[in-house]
Amino acid sequence: MKHLILIKYGELTTKKANRKVFINMLAKNIQMQLRNYEIKIQKDRVRMYIEVEERYIKEVAEILTHIFGIHSIVICYPVDTNTDKIKEKVLELLKEVSFHTFKVATKRADKSFPIPSMEFNNVIGGHVLKNIDCKVDVHDPDIILQIEIRKEGTYIYTDEIQGIGGYPVGIQGKGMLMLSGGIDSPVAGYMALKRGVDIECLYFESPPHTSLEAKNKVIKLASILNQYSGSIKVHVVPFTKIQEAIYKNVPDSYIITIMRRIMYRIAEQYGKKRKCKIIINGESIGQVASQTLTSMSVINEVTNMPVIRPVACLDKLEIIEIAKKIGTYETSILPFEDCCTIFLPKHPVIHPELNRAKEYESYFDYESLIDECICNIEVVTDFCKNYEDLL
Ligand code: ATP
Ligand code: MG
């Protein structure tokens, strides 16, 4: 008998009409993330079972803790359907857990098993009380000992590993994440993934002003995010010519405003090509001059695509806390310069005016530069496995 991992669904259980779609998407994502293992998935309306070989059980459970749409993960231990064997296995499992009170919950899926569930609860409960110093509490026990009697054998389980919740990635379609090497945008990407948005990443690089290390840092961040997705791509935009043209033609204080308007235009045009419905970025209100509300509205003016800013209303410390939790923080703080910081003017405008921005843009032919830039985007996909080696 193989080991089973039982999965309880996350928020998707509340979506009645779309339930099937959600469950199928989750199963597909699990299948993809576990493509290197031999597994079998059985699913119903309330849970999913994954059959897996015993030696991989811990590894697989760990991968499942990164998959959105999972509320909890339970490792079920198999045993022959034989009362003595079940008693023995129950004690073995309970000795590894610390608890004072418990209850037994038997589910007799195989009705050919002769002892009714309630009676079996008493048989097993009595055996536990005889061998372990503890009490029964049916209302609020420290642990619930679950015994599931099925045709192929019996499964016993106690504790649940918490999943990360959210919606299965992809259920909402795709977004284009503007991914820099900073702290904020990877967190923004994670939060979008959590709500079921699959992401592709867009990184603007300006060699030789920005280094190969800066690019590898972004690829590494994308690889870390990929643990939560499985299908992330990084699109590297050759941004040097545009940045140099901006630098040459636009007054200092508006360099960042114009640069970001052009980034948005590229994100929209290329995002549409990649079938993305939204742009996602790591802007946070008031954090820098280009993120005041006035700046945001002047920059946002160039696109009709919805721009989602998941960290817009978080404090930097809150963003850092999430970055640490999801594993991007240590990489984000590596000191390689980004194109935004290299060309940073001394006094960027805090309250830009739209007509001025438009006027400065008319000083150079940004449209053909954008076309050329989009034609030369490099796509990186093969980072998935070895991101540890990138830097
Ligand atoms: P982050 O910490 O994510 O770098 P930030 O606080 O440094 O953000 P900005 O540099 O103003 O802020 O950038 C705001 C957002 O614009 C970033 O979160 C990211 O989404 C996007 N962005 C900035 N630079 C780049 C880049 N080189 N490539 C892709 N996106 C970028
Ligand atoms: Mg940045």
Side-chain angles (χ1 to χ4, degrees):
M1 227 169 125
K2 287 204 169 165
H3 274 59
L4 277 189
I5 295 182
L6 180 154
I7 283 172
K8 297 186 183 165
Y9 305 140
E11 201 175 323
L12 60 84
T13 46
T14 57
K15 299 267 165 192
K16 286 219 167 59
N18 292 327
R19 197 178 187 120
K20 217 171 161 186
V21 184
F22 276 62
I23 294 169
N24 289 341
M25 182 63 91
L26 179 59
K28 190 173 140 230
N29 291 351
I30 290 175
Q31 199 94 53
M32 182 179 53
Q33 295 280 41
L34 297 179
R35 61 192 172 281
N36 296 326
Y37 300 88
E38 225 177 89
I39 57 154
K40 216 166 111 193
I41 296 179
Q42 300 163 39
K43 51 189 191 301
D44 64 34
R45 286 174 54 77
V46 282
R47 48 198 182 172
M48 199 178 284
Y49 291 97
I50 302 175
E51 238 184 69
V52 57
E53 272 182 60
E54 182 175 6
R55 62 192 161 134
Y56 296 127
I57 202 118
K58 291 262 151 65
E59 269 170 65
V60 166
E62 165 64 22
I63 294 172
L64 292 171
T65 61
H66 290 93
I67 298 180
F68 289 117
I70 296 179
H71 171 73
S72 57
I73 301 151
V74 187
I75 299 176
C76 311
Y77 296 89
V79 58
D80 290 343
T81 303
N82 164 304
T83 307
D84 287 337
K85 293 235 164 96
I86 294 174
K87 282 179 173 171
E88 201 179 305
K89 188 76 189 174
V90 160
L91 291 188
E92 187 190 315
L93 287 178
L94 289 184
K95 281 188 175 142
E96 285 181 20
V97 203
S98 90
F99 68 100
H100 297 295
T101 57
F102 77 105
K103 86 170 184 187
V104 184
T106 302
K107 197 170 146 207
R108 199 169 49 123
D110 174 15
K111 298 286 185 237
S112 69
F113 183 70
I115 311 175
S117 300
M118 291 300 275
E119 200 179 320
F120 201 64
N121 288 345
N122 293 335
V123 172
I124 299 298
H127 184 66
V128 172
L129 288 171
K130 232 189 268 164
N131 289 279
I132 299 177
D133 181 20
C134 60
K135 283 191 186 128
V136 171
D137 180 346
V138 288
H139 301 296
D140 186 24
D142 295 339
I143 59 162
I144 302 176
L145 177 68
Q146 315 255 13
I147 301 175
E148 209 167 301
I149 301 167
R150 302 167 137 227
K151 276 255 173 321
E152 67 271 27
T154 294
Y155 286 98
I156 305 175
Y157 49 96
T158 50
D159 47 342
E160 296 191 352
I161 302 165
Q162 208 185 340
I164 43 172
Y167 291 149
V169 169
I171 201 81
Q172 290 290 345
K174 212 161 49 174
M176 187 57 86
L177 171 68
M178 296 167 66
L179 182 62
S180 68
I183 296 171
D184 307 328
S185 48
V187 170
Y190 170 87
M191 291 172 81
L193 286 165
K194 181 163 188 162
R195 297 312 290 168
V197 181
D198 203 358
I199 56 175
E200 297 207 2
C201 307
L202 201 59
Y203 168 59
F204 297 85
E205 71 159 353
S206 297
H209 312 294
T210 57
S211 63
L212 182 63
E213 281 97 335
K215 174 178 167 184
N216 280 341
K217 177 181 168 183
V218 170
I219 294 173
K220 181 166 175 179
L221 287 168
S223 314
I224 298 170
L225 284 181
N226 199 44
Q227 293 177 89
Y228 303 94
S229 154
S231 61
I232 288 184
K233 294 183 173 64
V234 181
H235 304 272
V236 182
V237 185
F239 205 48
T240 314
K241 267 195 188 171
I242 293 182
Q243 277 207 290
E244 288 174 353
I246 297 171
Y247 203 63
K248 203 168 116 204
N249 294 291
V250 173
D252 259 22
S253 61
Y254 271 70
I255 283 177
I256 296 286
T257 313
I258 304 303
M259 188 183 82
R260 298 197 61 75
R261 280 169 61 93
I262 294 182
M263 281 181 165
Y264 269 47
R265 289 185 176 102
I266 294 173
E268 178 189 277
Q269 285 179 34
Y270 191 65
K272 277 186 182 154
K273 274 193 172 185
R274 298 294 314 159
K275 304 210 165 21
C276 294
K277 294 181 183 145
I278 56 168
I279 295 169
I280 303 150
N281 68 33
E283 290 173 344
S284 176
I285 298 171
Q287 206 185 75
V288 287
S290 60
Q291 293 168 22
T292 61
L293 293 187
T294 324
S295 278
M296 279 181 171
S297 64
V298 170
I299 292 165
N300 208 149
E301 190 266 343
V302 300
T303 178
N304 286 322
M305 220 188 219
V307 180
I308 305 292
R309 303 171 176 84
V311 303
C313 298
L314 297 185
D315 291 348
K316 193 77 188 185
L317 286 178
E318 292 171 313
I319 302 173
I320 289 175
E321 201 179 305
I322 302 174
K324 286 183 175 165
K325 194 185 82 188
I326 65 175
T328 53
Y329 182 73
E330 294 302 325
T331 304
S332 287
I333 57 173
L334 294 172
F336 305 119
E337 284 202 276
D338 182 54
C339 64
C340 289
T341 40
I342 294 231
F343 290 85
L344 198 65
K346 273 213 173 67
H347 301 291
V349 62
I350 292 171
H351 297 294
E353 289 167 35
L354 181 58
N355 53 2
R356 283 220 210 178
K358 285 183 169 170
E359 191 195 322
Y360 300 148
E361 277 171 356
S362 71
Y363 295 171
F364 65 108
D365 181 10
Y366 65 85
E367 278 174 356
S368 48
L369 285 171
I370 288 179
D371 290 344
E372 186 189 334
C373 190
I374 289 181
C375 279
N376 291 310
I377 284 176
E378 174 206 356
V379 188
V380 184
T381 49
D382 58 351
F383 52 81
C384 306
K385 280 197 198 106
N386 299 321
Y387 66 82
E388 298 296 347
D389 306 333
L390 272 173
L391 287 171

